[in-house]
Amino acid sequence: MNNSNSKNILLITLSFPYDIGVENTFLRDEIPFYQNKFKQVIILPSQLSQTKSEIDSKIIIDKNLIEFTRAKKTYQYFSFKLLSFLGILLSELKINFKKITIYRGLKKTIKDYLLTVWYFIFFETYFLNKKNEEWIIYTYWF
């Protein structure tokens, strides 16, 4: 099972294959490589637009992250998890206290904390029905 052809790859993008982000400039060329190396290629965009790049029909475009972001129930659970993971934020602030400028660094640290909790909640449920599969997760953020 160490052969990469037995593994799936999940490409988390800002918007690809939808034409919002700059990922289209290089990801379109990388997809054939992934198709040759992995059993299944799934693209998980976080944003959607009316225009979409043409990609091979064997590539799965998973809109679960977009739907997760739009769900009102998600925000209630998110509020609960923010409190549950408050220790992470406090430990990051303590570790990086000297590196954090009063406003800009604190703002970035809190933003990163919020995103971390948001994606933790999403992936906590996303992989529940994929337990017996091997995955490689690759992110593209701009």
Side-chain angles (χ1 to χ4, degrees):
M1 259 332 254
N2 291 332
N3 180 354
S4 62
N5 278 330
S6 66
K7 296 179 183 177
N8 301 303
I9 187 164
L10 179 66
L11 304 174
I12 305 168
T13 68
L14 174 65
S15 62
F16 185 81
Y18 302 97
D19 298 327
I20 297 173
V22 296
E23 303 129 327
N24 291 9
T25 59
F26 62 89
L27 245 176
R28 189 181 357 242
D29 296 333
E30 290 185 16
I31 296 293
F33 168 79
Y34 294 135
Q35 285 182 287
N36 290 331
K37 295 290 180 185
F38 296 96
K39 181 173 82 175
Q40 188 175 46
V41 178
I42 298 176
I43 299 174
L44 187 69
S46 62
Q47 295 179 19
L48 183 65
S49 75
Q50 296 296 322
T51 57
K52 181 177 157 188
S53 297
E54 290 295 320
I55 57 170
D56 190 316
S57 61
K58 295 175 189 158
I59 305 291
I60 296 170
I61 309 300
D62 186 338
K63 296 180 186 172
N64 278 316
L65 184 55
I66 295 166
E67 293 165 8
F68 174 79
T69 302
R70 292 180 179 169
K72 289 181 181 171
K73 192 167 74 173
T74 300
Y75 290 96
Q76 295 167 347
Y77 189 59
F78 179 65
S79 300
F80 169 74
K81 284 294 190 177
L82 278 177
L83 294 174
S84 301
F85 291 115
L86 195 55
I88 295 171
L89 174 63
L90 295 175
S91 98
E92 283 298 313
L93 289 172
K94 183 179 176 184
I95 292 168
N96 296 302
F97 183 75
K98 292 180 181 176
K99 299 176 192 173
I100 297 174
T101 59
I102 295 304
Y103 177 72
R104 189 171 174 197
L106 184 59
K107 183 179 172 183
K108 182 182 178 339
T109 301
I110 292 172
K111 181 182 173 192
D112 290 348
Y113 166 70
L114 294 174
L115 282 172
T116 300
V117 172
W118 187 259
Y119 288 108
F120 178 84
I121 293 168
F122 174 76
F123 286 109
E124 184 178 51
T125 56
Y126 186 81
F127 285 105
L128 279 178
N129 64 346
K130 298 171 173 53
K131 286 184 178 178
N132 296 325
E133 300 177 28
E134 291 187 58
W135 288 88
I136 293 182
I137 302 170
Y138 199 85
T139 62
Y140 297 89
W141 298 106
F142 293 94

